[in-house]
Amino acid sequence: MSEFIKILLSLSVSGALLLLLILGLKPLYKNKFSKRWQYYIWIVVALRFLLPFTPDTTIIGSLFEKFDTTAITNEIPTTPNVPVPADTGNSKAEPIQTNREITTAAMREPVDKYVCLFFIWSALALVLFVRKVTVYQGFIQYIKAGNKEVSDIKILNLLSDCEEKLNIKTRVELSCNPLIASPMLIGFFRPRIILPSHEWEDKELSYIFVHELIHYKQRDMFYKWLIQIVVCVHWFNPFVYLLEKEVNKSCELSCDEKVISVLDDTARREYGDILISFLKSNNLYKSSLASVTLTEGAEQLKERLGAIMKFKKKSKAIQLLTGMLTLCIVFSAAFVGIYPTAAAADVPNSINTEKSVPPLFDNSQTADNSSEMETLDFKGTSYYLVYNEAQLRA
């Protein structure tokens, strides 16, 4: 149990360090690298939070090994070098605690603490996950209550054309709903685009369809729930909530970039106007866990519109720098590492036993009192029996 807690904590620390590294580099790549790259690079951080794979020598592994050795050494009591009395008046000598017994007692002591930590962590992680699933199911039920299938052939043909342009083979359902204020996509394996009750122009519908279909093609719903798993596992780490925020923001920027990559300046302005028009209305019910929407909030709108107007295709030099930085981040994720499980078994053996259990007998005292010592091995444990000269003659 103690190993599990240490691995969990080391994953949390290493993931946070990698997150801070990428955020620290953000001023350098924010306006130069593609939004798509800025979106998917967070997968490396999410996997660092979740996967306990690591090379033999890592930063976090070394820190946790030193902590382990120091903690266990401090927990093992030392036996002072006290001379054995020459004549106790009793022929029975008490067995002395051996090094094995001391080490076992020291290792057994923190077990209860780690068990308590495990149950606290698992209970809160389970509660948080169940709550998120409940929110998702509640949102889906809410949407189904107001859904109405779209039967207009013209609109369905327009959706089919957009699917064909994006090379999407899966049939995407289409419905309208008066309970929502912004178009959205729901469903993992059976995607459905839901439109607010409104009169649409063909150009507006095409932008909406392309935006939501790109969300489906990028598997953004799966990505969002991967981040939610990270949040549930590391609920005690404030940095995972920062990760969630960055992924949600980068998701919309990445989708916008994909949409406008084939548009001219006029069409980009029209696309920006659509974002603004949906932001003016208040959404009656909104859950970022259950759907991907056209607009996420006013605080992101300024950045999204700025990215739309300043969009430029990336040069080959920028693409090369992107690849190099990606490799550096991946190697950093591996080098940061986690707590190595093999180290736990080696820690007790690496402790200097001479320091933990000093000599049990003072040879000078034994000689002066004409005593003799006999070693008795019983079931793997050594007992030391000391007799003085008077007891031997008797």
Side-chain angles (χ1 to χ4, degrees):
M1 200 67 71
S2 63
E3 286 187 23
F4 177 84
I5 295 297
K6 291 172 184 176
I7 291 172
L8 177 66
L9 291 176
S10 64
L11 283 171
S12 197
V13 172
S14 59
L17 290 176
L18 188 62
L19 172 69
L20 292 175
L21 173 64
I22 297 177
L23 287 178
L25 296 173
K26 192 172 183 178
L28 302 178
Y29 64 72
K30 181 178 179 181
N31 297 321
K32 296 181 176 63
F33 290 7
S34 70
K35 303 301 180 184
R36 184 179 178 84
W37 180 88
Q38 296 181 43
Y39 176 46
Y40 283 108
I41 195 61
W42 296 115
I43 291 181
V44 180
V45 180
L47 295 179
R48 181 69 282 173
F49 272 110
L50 294 177
L51 301 182
F53 297 130
T54 182
D56 292 335
T57 304
T58 61
I59 297 176
I60 299 298
S62 300
L63 290 176
F64 271 75
E65 282 185 13
K66 291 179 181 179
F67 175 79
D68 256 351
T69 304
T70 304
I72 294 178
T73 303
N74 292 335
E75 288 174 357
I76 296 178
T78 57
T79 304
N81 192 9
V82 180
V84 179
D87 188 5
T88 61
N90 189 352
S91 59
K92 295 182 180 179
E94 295 183 357
I96 299 174
Q97 193 176 19
T98 63
N99 182 38
R100 177 181 300 178
E101 292 170 337
I102 294 173
T103 305
T104 303
M107 294 294 291
R108 189 185 302 118
E109 183 179 351
V111 168
D112 292 340
K113 174 178 66 178
Y114 287 115
V115 170
C116 291
L117 289 175
F118 173 78
F119 279 109
I120 293 172
W121 166 82
S122 59
L124 292 178
L126 182 60
V127 168
L128 185 58
F129 181 75
V130 170
R131 179 182 177 276
K132 290 180 181 296
V133 172
T134 303
V135 169
Y136 172 79
Q137 291 177 338
F139 178 83
I140 295 300
Q141 294 299 323
Y142 174 86
I143 292 298
K144 287 182 177 180
N147 268 358
K148 182 180 179 181
E149 294 289 335
V150 174
S151 57
D152 192 324
I153 299 300
K154 183 180 178 181
I155 296 177
L156 293 176
N157 287 337
L158 183 60
L159 175 60
S160 180
D161 292 341
C162 293
E163 292 173 0
E164 186 176 351
K165 288 179 182 178
L166 295 174
N167 196 28
I168 295 177
K169 305 299 183 182
T170 305
R171 181 172 177 270
V172 180
E173 305 289 342
L174 182 64
S175 61
C176 63
N177 194 320
L179 301 177
I180 65 172
S182 177
M184 62 179 61
L185 174 75
I186 64 172
F188 289 91
F189 303 103
R190 299 178 60 184
R192 177 181 292 272
I193 295 176
I194 304 175
L195 302 173
S197 296
H198 187 70
E199 294 294 331
W200 307 98
E201 296 181 3
D202 290 348
K203 185 172 291 188
E204 291 177 333
L205 283 174
S206 64
Y207 292 149
I208 292 170
F209 290 157
V210 170
H211 182 98
E212 301 302 337
L213 289 173
I214 288 174
H215 275 309
Y216 171 71
K217 192 172 184 179
Q218 291 183 161
R219 298 294 189 266
D220 288 335
M221 286 291 292
F222 291 94
Y223 193 174
K224 283 193 172 187
W225 273 94
L226 173 66
I227 301 302
Q228 295 310 312
I229 292 174
V230 174
V231 171
C232 292
V233 172
H234 297 276
W235 53 263
F236 54 86
N237 189 338
F239 290 103
V240 297
Y241 303 99
L242 181 59
L243 173 64
E244 180 184 21
K245 181 179 178 180
E246 289 293 327
V247 169
N248 288 337
K249 182 170 64 175
S250 300
C251 177
E252 294 304 326
L253 291 171
S254 172
C255 191
D256 290 340
E257 183 183 67
K258 185 70 174 179
V259 173
I260 65 178
S261 62
V262 294
L263 302 179
D264 56 22
D265 291 340
T266 303
R268 291 174 193 168
R269 291 189 180 90
E270 293 174 348
Y271 180 74
D273 290 339
I274 293 176
L275 296 180
I276 295 174
S277 66
F278 285 117
L279 201 63
K280 291 178 181 178
S281 54
N282 294 322
N283 209 337
L284 301 178
Y285 192 105
K286 188 174 181 180
S287 173
S288 62
L289 297 181
S291 65
V292 278
T293 63
L294 187 69
T295 55
E296 285 287 346
E299 62 183 37
Q300 297 183 16
L301 181 61
K302 183 178 179 180
E303 183 176 357
R304 290 178 67 182
L305 293 176
I308 290 171
M309 295 296 104
K310 297 176 183 178
F311 172 77
K312 292 181 180 179
K313 292 186 177 180
K314 308 305 177 186
S315 64
K316 291 185 177 180
I318 293 297
Q319 293 176 4
L320 180 61
L321 288 174
T322 301
M324 293 174 62
L325 183 58
T326 303
L327 290 176
C328 290
I329 291 175
V330 171
F331 283 126
S332 298
F335 184 65
V336 169
I338 64 166
Y339 172 77
T341 55
D346 296 336
V347 169
N349 297 329
S350 63
I351 300 174
N352 189 347
T353 55
E354 294 181 0
K355 178 181 178 182
S356 59
V357 183
L360 299 175
F361 299 101
D362 189 336
N363 294 331
S364 61
Q365 293 289 337
T366 304
D368 294 341
N369 293 285
S370 301
S371 302
E372 290 188 8
M373 181 180 68
E374 180 182 351
T375 302
L376 176 63
D377 292 327
F378 181 69
K379 293 185 177 181
T381 303
S382 298
Y383 297 92
Y384 300 93
L385 306 178
V386 180
Y387 304 91
N388 59 28
E389 185 177 355
Q391 290 173 325
L392 291 173
R393 286 198 298 268

